[in-house]
Amino acid sequence: MKISKFFVLSSSLLLASLSFADYSQQPHVAPFIDRMVEKHQFERTQVLEWLKVAENQQSIIKAMSRPAEKVKPWHEYRNIFVTELRIKRGVEFWQQHEETLERVYKKYGVDPAIIVSILGVETNYGRNTGSYRVIDALSTLAFDFYHSIEKRESRKKFFTIQLENLFLLAREQKKDPLTLKGSYAGAMGWGQFMPDSYRDYAVDFDGDDFVDIWTNPTDAIGSVANFLTKKGGWKKDQPVATRAHIGQQLDTQGLNKMRKPKSTIADLKERGYQPVQNFSEDSLAFPMKLTAKYADEYWLGFNNFYAIGRYNPRIKYAMAVYQLSLMIKAQRCETTETCS
């Protein structure tokens, strides 16, 4: 019993000390500090000051260890996002921002329902944009979590780059990086943009000379569309996904691989996937399998499904966005008699 109490006490003290980690003094953080000074001409004292007050967040580590996309089967994951309340709020959001969504469609060609759905899945239309300081989230993930996990160098590099971009966007937008808040992964604003995505794809869509994804839904709408077009390769008025029946002989090669589609519908039919709708035989798609409550579902994802996947590279995420968009569009048609 004494040993157990000592272990619990020691663990508690360790977690407490991690919460107040002084990243400015940690040897493995030094290369990052040098990079900010030498490449980007930040004042060393300023970078040290920011990293000194950044805090390790154990709740972030726990959340990153068990993302819903990985641990929940499709039917449970779907029920988180495709709900009557979120559909209703999506219709209301569309009505409130109809003019902006129409402008976005004309400029970028992105289906307004998909934009509304992404904002619904990401933050419930701005209601939950995250309560973590972004600097805490990115420092924890760059310098503690992935630093201690073997064979995760790519993820460590990703979050280190995000922290670099956080400081750059703060300087460019005259923001204090200590005040910016977001998700446990460091994503910000209505559309949950990572810092590099903000710098690359966020746009000023209302013409006020400030790109505000935190409190301005107009900029958020334009930014999501710009992202889907430029990074995702969204194609105007093209299909997203379709259900498929399967044959007795099924070729599962490439199943559930979120990659740019390369197989034609004709090829997929030969491999045992029969789309429930008619598409050109040379249309490109990839096969998906989702675990529903009572039986597996098979789908084919087209280029625009992959475009959504560039936002979050998970099959379940992109499918939740797509199905929520269909429900929002259907209810909008019923309630407003506007079916475009």
Side-chain angles (χ1 to χ4, degrees), residues 257-285:
K257 299 294 184 183
M258 180 65 86
R259 296 173 181 168
K260 195 172 183 63
K262 296 181 179 179
S263 298
T264 65
I265 291 294
D267 292 336
L268 289 165
K269 286 180 178 178
E270 290 184 0
R271 293 170 53 191
Y273 302 93
Q274 180 67 44
V276 299
Q277 298 167 276
N278 291 322
F279 296 95
S280 171
E281 294 286 286
D282 60 358
S283 297
L284 300 180

Side-chain angles (χ1 to χ4, degrees), residues 68 71-81 291-293:
V71 301
K72 291 185 179 296
W74 161 241
H75 64 94
E76 291 182 12
Y77 182 85
R78 182 186 188 277
N79 289 340
I80 297 173
F81 300 107
T291 304
K293 190 171 184 179

Side-chain angles (χ1 to χ4, degrees), residues 17-134:
S17 65
L18 286 174
S19 297
F20 299 99
D22 183 353
Y23 293 109
S24 69
Q25 299 300 315
Q26 296 187 18
H28 65 279
V29 183
F32 172 81
I33 298 170
D34 291 340
R35 177 179 177 84
M36 300 308 298
V37 173
E38 296 168 7
K39 180 179 179 180
H40 301 297
Q41 289 77 54
F42 279 86
E43 292 292 334
R44 185 175 295 273
T45 54
Q46 179 65 87
V47 178
L48 291 172
E49 180 182 334
W50 287 332
L51 293 175
K52 184 178 181 64
V53 299
E55 296 182 2
N56 174 287
Q57 297 286 347
Q58 287 295 305
S59 56
I60 289 174
I61 292 175
K62 291 179 181 178
M64 289 297 288
S65 299
R66 292 181 59 81
E69 293 95 335
K70 286 187 176 181
V71 301
K72 291 185 179 296
W74 161 241
H75 64 94
E76 291 182 12
Y77 182 85
R78 182 186 188 277
N79 289 340
I80 297 173
F81 300 107
V82 186
T83 65
E84 288 300 322
L85 180 58
R86 209 168 297 232
I87 294 165
K88 176 176 179 291
R89 287 174 173 172
V91 173
E92 293 170 351
F93 181 86
W94 195 333
Q95 291 173 331
Q96 293 165 4
H97 302 283
E98 188 166 3
E99 185 272 335
T100 299
L101 289 161
E102 184 61 29
R103 281 201 299 125
V104 159
Y105 176 69
K106 289 179 179 178
K107 181 172 182 176
Y108 297 104
V110 179
D111 183 354
I114 294 293
I115 297 173
V116 173
S117 182
I118 286 176
L119 294 175
V121 168
E122 291 291 345
T123 62
N124 202 357
Y125 314 104
R127 289 173 174 82
N128 181 21
T129 57
S131 58
Y132 290 100
R133 288 197 310 178
V134 177

